[in-house]
Amino acid sequence: MLIERTLAPVFGANCYVLAAESGASALVVDPGAGAARGAMALLRSHDLTLGTILLTHGHADHVWDAQRLIDAAVTEGRVASGADGASAGTSVPVYIPRPDLYRLEDPAITTGIAVDGMTFADLAGTPWLRPADVRPFPQNGFGSTVELVPGVALQAVPAPGHSEGSTLFFLNAHLGDNQLLFEAEVLDDPTDIPERDYLLALDGDVIFKGSVGRTDLPGGDQYQMWATLRLLATAVDPATVLLPGHGAVTTMAHEHRANPYLAEAKARGGETGA
């Protein structure tokens, strides 16, 4: 499997490109403001077509370039023909967890981020373009795996707290020499890298290396975040490689050892705020 990452210039959001192999249809995850250029470079370098876009949640810094990426892919003829019901060569479906679907009407407003009086659109330097083909992530994907592009099977777990619709997307990936695994400290010997299966999670802004997503934005909820973190701490295999929405790749085992926010959530038990 191919898994690559590029960074969005605004707030340094991670954008991931996944595909079964070179020349295949790609899944692009969280194309934030300015990420379209880097994502297109990755598509070209692996001779990929854009098959589907997946948004882990609806905040502006993770969704802003979705339509721009589609437009660029259409212009270069890099759209998978008839991908998942899309019009051949002209459209790409954009999936988002249903609770955050409303945010795509105007993510700058629903995210509520401003810096020195500048709106997110000001920071991005571009206006919001709502994707033409927005769909809720399939409900059956929360109980079993679904393939949004061939060969990339995902299973979703709701993880509210940072936003109402924040979700983790788990997948099994057969990988060898992948820089993201070195970054997560799963691999440390570049001279001996056997290919094997890894459990990965695209976790958006839920867990970062040494931190977690903020809960003070509209739709955030600290008590829901604590509950989410307790669930993940209990249920997720420590060997799972976490691909976060910002910062370095990590593992659940590392976060058990070194993440004070995860430790706090575990210590708080079942607090609800009621």
Side-chain angles (χ1 to χ4, degrees):
M1 181 178 286
L2 293 173
I3 302 179
E4 298 272 13
R5 178 186 60 194
T6 186
L7 296 182
V10 181
F11 296 160
N14 291 328
C15 171
Y16 298 97
V17 176
L18 298 84
E21 59 186 356
S22 294
S25 178
L27 173 69
V28 176
V29 181
D30 286 359
R37 182 175 181 179
M40 284 300 301
L42 291 174
L43 294 179
R44 293 187 206 103
S45 67
H46 295 289
D47 192 26
L48 301 171
T49 54
L50 178 60
T52 303
I53 292 175
L54 174 65
L55 308 175
T56 59
H57 63 296
H59 283 163
D61 54 326
H62 292 261
V63 309
W64 201 261
D65 264 18
Q67 186 59 47
R68 288 179 179 81
L69 175 58
I70 294 168
D71 291 343
V74 168
T75 297
E76 293 193 16
R78 288 197 173 274
V79 172
S81 297
D84 196 19
S87 300
T90 62
S91 180
V92 173
V94 177
Y95 288 93
I96 185 169
R98 186 179 292 276
D100 273 13
L101 190 59
Y102 77 96
R103 294 179 176 275
L104 297 190
E105 294 304 320
D106 191 338
I109 291 177
T110 58
T111 302
I113 293 177
V115 178
D116 295 330
M118 299 177 68
T119 67
F120 191 88
D122 295 330
L123 295 170
T126 55
W128 167 241
L129 300 176
R130 189 182 191 277
D133 185 4
V134 174
R135 310 179 188 184
F137 185 78
Q139 189 61 36
N140 63 317
F142 288 91
S144 60
T145 59
V146 295
E147 291 190 0
L148 301 183
V149 297
V152 181
L154 304 173
Q155 184 164 351
V157 173
H162 179 63
S163 75
E164 307 95 322
S166 288
T167 297
L168 268 67
F169 297 93
F170 291 85
L171 67 150
N172 289 300
H174 193 72
L175 300 171
D177 183 2
N178 187 292
Q179 183 57 40
L180 297 178
L181 297 179
F182 284 100
E183 186 175 298
E185 302 178 39
V186 172
L187 298 177
D188 58 11
D189 182 1
T191 65
D192 182 20
I193 308 173
E195 290 195 1
R196 67 178 183 87
D197 292 330
Y198 294 88
L199 178 60
L200 312 180
L202 297 151
D203 82 297
D205 286 3
V206 179
I207 299 179
F208 306 130
K209 188 170 187 177
S211 188
V212 298
R214 60 193 289 187
T215 59
D216 60 334
L217 297 174
D221 186 303
Q222 183 63 66
Y223 290 96
Q224 280 192 324
M225 178 62 92
W226 282 330
T228 286
L229 295 174
R230 286 194 299 274
L231 171 64
L232 298 177
T234 302
V236 175
D237 185 338
T240 303
V241 177
L242 303 178
L243 304 173
H246 299 270
V249 179
T250 185
T251 64
M252 199 66 194
H254 181 277
E255 300 317 300
H256 276 293
R257 296 192 304 269
N259 192 320
Y261 301 95
L262 188 62
E264 179 186 11
K266 291 188 285 187
R268 283 183 174 272
E271 289 186 33
T272 64

